[in-house]
């Protein structure tokens, strides 16, 4: 949670954060898609994954209880309308990120 | 790791409930396997199969309250399972199976911690 502030809130680039938990099945589906995004959008976007069991304070702060949740952070704050719960395909995450980065 | 007894209990429950509710397991059964193990883990630690696809501020309180104990209220009322354990046939991710063996669960979660 301490690293979150330095890595995510102080990032100059927008940040995609994937909130997950150990025994959440759809979270396992999303993980490789998020890894792909990390490489595909390198230089335009930072990407982090947060294990919610290890970072309960962050979940409580941002009220992200359903898992997996993907959400964008920009300029030190959460972009509420970017919140997206559930499994996502590569095509859909591409369109989600392209739309966000263009706006 | 959850106990084999709880995994087996949750495996059987999942098969029975899929049949009863007319739902199907995910085409990618690793998702099914992970969720069944998550339910088993909560059964072991909390005494109830709390949904493993949510975060809770107070797990024991949630387990006592029951809304998110599998089958959760959204599933019972609207067949909404965001864990992707029980999928309606029209769901893009639904497979054709309502069964999963103990070996499948073991093999598909072997690479996890």
């Amino acid at each position: 949670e301490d690293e979150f502030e330095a890595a995510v809130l102080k990032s100059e680039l927008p940040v995609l954060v994937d909130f997950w938990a150990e025994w959440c099945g759809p979270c396992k589906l999303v993980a490789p898609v998020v890894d792909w995004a990390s490489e595909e959008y390198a230089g335009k976007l930072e990407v982090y994954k947060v294990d919610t069991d290890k970072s309960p304070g962050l979940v409580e702060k941002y009220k992200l209880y359903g898992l997996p949740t993907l959400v964008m952070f920009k300029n030190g704050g959460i972009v509420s309308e970017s919140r997206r719960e559930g499994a996502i395909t590569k095509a859909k995450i591409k369109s989600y990120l392209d739309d966000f980065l263009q706006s | 790791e959850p106990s084999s007894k709880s995994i087996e209990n949750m495996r059987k429950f999942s098969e029975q409930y899929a049949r009863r509710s007319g739902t199907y397991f995910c085409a990618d059964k690793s998702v099914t396997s992970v969720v069944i193990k998550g339910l088993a883990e909560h059964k072991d630690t909390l005494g109830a199969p709390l949904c493993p696809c949510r975060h809770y501020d107070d797990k024991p309180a949630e387990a006592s309250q029951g809304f998110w104990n599998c089958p959760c209220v959204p599933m019972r009322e609207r067949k909404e399972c965001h864990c992707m354990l029980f999928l309606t046939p029209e769901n893009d991710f639904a497979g054709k199976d309502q069964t999963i063996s103990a070996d499948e669960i073991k093999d598909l979660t072997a690479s996890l911690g």
Side-chain angles (χ1 to χ4, degrees):
Chain A
E1 287 178 358
D2 294 335
E3 292 168 24
F4 190 84
E5 177 155 350
V8 177
L9 301 182
K10 293 190 173 152
S11 170
E12 288 179 6
L13 290 178
V15 186
L16 171 67
V17 184
D18 169 15
F19 287 85
W20 63 279
E22 185 181 9
W23 293 117
C24 157
C27 297
K28 306 290 182 207
L29 269 188
V30 162
V33 177
V34 169
D35 289 343
W36 169 83
S38 173
E39 290 186 18
E40 182 74 6
Y41 292 85
K44 296 182 202 164
L45 189 71
E46 297 278 345
V47 177
Y48 290 96
K49 294 177 186 169
V50 174
D51 177 347
T52 53
D53 286 334
K54 296 195 167 97
S55 302
L58 289 178
V59 178
E60 211 172 325
K61 181 175 180 184
Y62 296 111
K63 307 278 181 250
L64 302 168
Y65 290 96
L67 302 173
T69 290
L70 296 182
V71 68
M72 301 295 302
F73 282 78
K74 193 174 177 181
N75 300 326
I78 192 171
V79 181
S80 301
E81 55 273 20
S82 71
R83 178 188 308 227
R84 211 202 164 288
E85 258 186 50
I88 190 170
T89 60
K90 197 188 276 191
K92 286 195 170 148
I93 204 175
K94 183 174 186 325
S95 118
Y96 165 84
L97 290 172
D98 286 345
D99 287 349
F100 183 85
L101 291 172
Q102 274 162 26
S103 64
Chain B
E1 273 282 308
S3 66
S4 329
K5 181 179 166 196
S6 288
I7 294 173
E8 182 58 11
N9 282 343
M10 296 318 305
R11 184 189 72 79
K12 283 186 180 153
F13 153 74
S14 298
E15 289 188 334
Q16 282 162 11
Y17 195 79
R19 279 197 304 273
R20 231 172 71 201
S21 61
T23 55
Y24 293 83
F25 293 147
C26 186
D28 180 344
K29 278 193 177 166
S30 67
V31 173
T32 316
S33 303
V34 168
V35 174
I36 287 175
K37 275 194 157 177
L39 291 169
E41 171 76 12
H42 282 155
K43 189 87 173 88
D44 285 343
T45 55
L46 302 166
L50 196 62
C51 173
C53 307
R54 286 191 73 77
H55 180 82
Y56 308 92
D57 292 332
D58 184 338
K59 275 187 175 179
E62 292 279 359
S64 298
Q65 199 271 339
F67 186 99
W68 288 112
N69 286 345
C70 187
C72 65
V73 168
M75 179 63 202
R76 282 185 265 146
E77 289 186 352
R78 298 184 299 280
K79 294 194 180 175
E80 282 176 11
C81 174
H82 69 273
C83 268
M84 298 173 67
L85 177 57
F86 303 114
L87 296 169
T88 52
E90 60 275 7
N91 187 298
D92 289 340
F93 292 97
K96 296 183 171 29
D97 291 343
Q98 293 173 320
T99 57
I100 185 166
S101 67
D103 280 343
E104 277 181 283
I105 294 174
K106 188 171 152 209
D107 292 341
L108 291 168
T109 55
S111 58
L112 302 176

